[in-house]
Amino acid sequence: MNYNWDWGVLFREPYLDWLISGFLWTISVSLAAWILAFTLGSIVGIARTVDNDWARGIATCYVETFRNIPLLVQMFLWYFVFPELLPYDAGMWVKRELPMPEFTTAVVCLGLYTASRVAEQVRAGIEAIGQGQRNAGLAIGLTPAQVYRYVLLPVSYRIIIPPLTSEFLTIFKNSSVALTIGVLETTAQARQIEEYTFQGFEAFTAATLLYIVVTSVVMLLMKLIEGRVRIPGMISLGAK
Amino acid sequence: MINLKKISKWYGDFQVLDDCSTQVEKGEVVVVCGPSGSGKSTLIKCVNGLEPFQQGEITVDGVSVGGKDTNLSQLRSRIGMVFQNFELFPHISVVDNIKLAQLKVLGRSDDEAHKNAMRLLDRVGLADQADKHPAQLSGGQQQRVAIARALAMDPIAMLFDEPTSALDPEMINEVLDVMVELAKDGMTMMVVTHEMGFARRVANRVIFMDEGRIEEDCTREEFFNTTRGERAQIFLSKILEH
Ligand SMILES: Nc1ncnc2c1ncn2[C@@H]1O[C@H](COP(=O)(O)OP(=O)(O)OP(=O)(O)O)[C@@H](O)[C@H]1O
Ligand SMILES: [Mg+2]
């Protein structure tokens, strides 16, 4: 193979700037999408466990729809098809005046998709706790909402820290799909560096390292949090 | 105090409760027994509305449990309940378990709730365990905390659903002792249990259930001394063997 290795390219302008900027976009898309996914996913997940057929039905539809359409397809649907489905004025506004259209679309798409996965984890966490705790909360006079707030959720979020961590790492990796609608995140920038310099190996190695660093930091952080909120005396929370 | 009138309940086609009527007067202790699956838990959960029922009427202190306008949470806050599996909240300390509903339901101040919690922990003999988490206590200790948690709401009546059947034999008495004390203090109690020793000591009445029906509902003396129906006889001889 006739390849001219040149690691120096990573530290030359403007390529270093490109990588940094790509990395920042990756972080921004992931964090913003995660906030949306976590909030909406919690609401939908809770709705799947409440004592109301309508709430449960709607939440189930949401989960089945968003979980079963490939993310790439959803990205195209939001970016190209969604504005056409809106009333004319709203569609024009989305096409012309939506601030940072690629970024916003990527965040919404990734957030709504991941929300369906977060919802499933939240539901599983609540169901793992069982009817007995719910009854105990109701029996001392807590309202159903208070039972969630003070009894079910504090325990179920502890149970699902590991799967939620893995969902966050997935959102972070999935953020690379945003390049298909033009967000210049890490992977897109690596591609661009390759096109300008033909040093693709170096560029993608750098991108890979960036992903690995973030992944490791997140895992470490979540382990710390898990230890911090561990319930004294509890061996396994879910097993009951 | 507690009044059940012709309660029937179905799970789909299966009838769990069949025309059950009884009442518990203020200060009375009523023991409910019967074979597994006879509907004891279901009946007692109907009393505080944890289980809905399709027919009949239950009133507690004059308030209709199934009533459309009844504020169930408020009614439940006045009825204590103790479960077979303790059901303490695992993520908060023992004292916080007893404080939670005092703060969130009754709106007591932290100071008042704390004092009350410590007083009750002292009463069930666990003041030194206040800052532990439930999983760090033995089953018997957890159940005593659960009783204290219910008492913290100053209930007008207490419901017990097999409070000792998940306990190792050596821990049963420490829980029964607390319950006997309560009974002697005049608490209105409805107790699902197979502990006939407890029934002999403090029950005013004993109810025997079978296949969703109340088959016997009589005073303690009648229950233990008179010849009972055949089913109750067989049941009694089985549990008294132990
Ligand atoms: N959610 C439910 N759906 C369908 N059937 C149920 C449900 N809960 C209880 N049952 C049935 O109702 C009947 C009465 O149950 P219940 O728990 O009240 O009995 P029990 O007298 O308390 O028995 P045990 O001594 O085993 O606690 C049982 O046959 C049980 O299988
Ligand atoms: Mg039972």
Side-chain angles (χ1 to χ4, degrees), chain B residues 11 14 16 34-43 84 161-162 194:
Chain B
Y11 284 119
F14 176 68
V16 224
S36 179
S38 58
K40 308 178 297 291
S41 298
T42 309
L43 185 75
Q84 185 171 355
D161 188 4
E162 303 208 34
H194 291 164

Side-chain angles (χ1 to χ4, degrees), chain A residues 98-114:
Chain A
L98 184 71
M100 300 191 286
E102 296 84 9
F103 173 78
T104 310
T105 308
V107 166
V108 168
C109 171
L110 201 54
L112 294 187
Y113 168 76
T114 310

Side-chain angles (χ1 to χ4, degrees), chain A residues 47-61:
Chain A
R48 290 201 74 178
T49 66
V50 299
D51 189 17
N52 178 306
D53 292 343
W54 276 99
R56 275 210 309 271
I58 293 169
T60 306
C61 280

Side-chain angles (χ1 to χ4, degrees), chain B residues 121-231:
Chain B
L121 275 177
D122 196 40
R123 177 165 170 190
V124 299
L126 292 169
D128 52 336
Q129 311 286 330
D131 295 323
K132 287 196 179 165
H133 275 63
Q136 296 171 311
L137 303 187
S138 73
Q141 291 174 324
Q142 288 189 54
Q143 194 62 298
R144 280 142 67 197
V145 173
I147 294 172
R149 176 177 70 180
L151 291 176
M153 305 298 284
D154 299 324
I156 54 172
M158 290 278 288
L159 309 175
F160 294 83
D161 188 4
E162 303 208 34
T164 57
S165 58
L167 295 176
D168 294 334
E170 71 271 19
M171 296 176 185
I172 290 179
N173 278 328
E174 67 187 54
V175 172
L176 287 181
D177 287 346
V178 171
M179 292 170 60
V180 168
E181 285 293 308
L182 258 186
K184 289 186 175 158
D185 285 351
M187 177 59 78
T188 308
M189 295 164 69
M190 190 165 171
V191 185
V192 176
T193 185
H194 291 164
E195 293 295 331
M196 287 303 132
F198 174 80
R200 276 185 206 279
R201 278 167 80 187
V202 293
N204 297 97
R205 292 210 332 280
V206 180
I207 288 174
F208 173 76
M209 288 188 73
D210 194 21
E211 294 180 351
R213 281 184 305 277
I214 293 182
E215 294 287 359
E216 309 275 353
D217 183 349
C218 51
T219 65
R220 169 181 55 184
E221 290 74 20
E222 285 175 325
F223 189 81
F224 288 112
N225 299 336
T226 327
T227 325
R228 309 260 42 96
E230 194 188 350
R231 300 276 302 182

